[in-house]
Amino acid sequence: MTEQWRARIRIEAGPLETSCWIWTGPNSGNGYGRISIKHRQHAAHRIFYSLCRDAIPEGMQVDHLCRQRACVNPEHLDIVTPRENTRRGNGNAGINARKL
């Protein structure tokens, strides 16, 4: 069984209104899915983006437009700078950055 196939069976459809693909495999403890490839851990959303859309440029981050950390639907993922990812976030740093 290939790594891609094993990953595919660890996804459940999210609520119809969101169209999220929810990763049900291991996670990082803070909600982000983890995939092991050749004994190395990778963020599931980054792997799915790379497989389904394009390579992620060095220094860039993948932002969840749906705000669901476990989502791996490539249509819900956007490549952004770390600064933009922070600004879009719901944490204190993002809230304060949007005030400026």
Side-chain angles (χ1 to χ4, degrees), residues 7-66:
R8 211 176 298 153
I9 62 175
R10 291 187 172 191
I11 299 171
E12 290 181 358
L16 289 177
E17 62 274 6
T18 67
S19 67
C20 288
W21 301 355
I22 304 300
W23 178 254
T24 62
N27 69 60
S28 60
N30 60 358
Y32 294 100
R34 302 297 292 168
I35 294 176
S36 178
I37 299 174
K38 295 183 181 178
H39 307 291
R40 291 191 61 206
Q41 292 290 311
H42 302 272
H45 62 286
R46 292 179 63 89
I47 297 298
F48 274 80
Y49 185 92
S50 296
L51 288 172
C52 299
R53 295 191 78 184
D54 203 357
I56 301 168
E58 185 74 27
M60 299 296 275
Q61 295 181 352
V62 181
D63 182 32
H64 288 84
L65 299 173
C66 60

Side-chain angles (χ1 to χ4, degrees), residues 79-100:
I79 301 298
V80 295
T81 64
R83 182 177 182 168
E84 179 64 11
N85 200 17
T86 298
R87 191 190 70 75
R88 290 180 178 183
N90 292 327
N92 288 335
I95 292 166
N96 289 329
R98 289 191 298 274
K99 291 178 184 176
L100 301 176

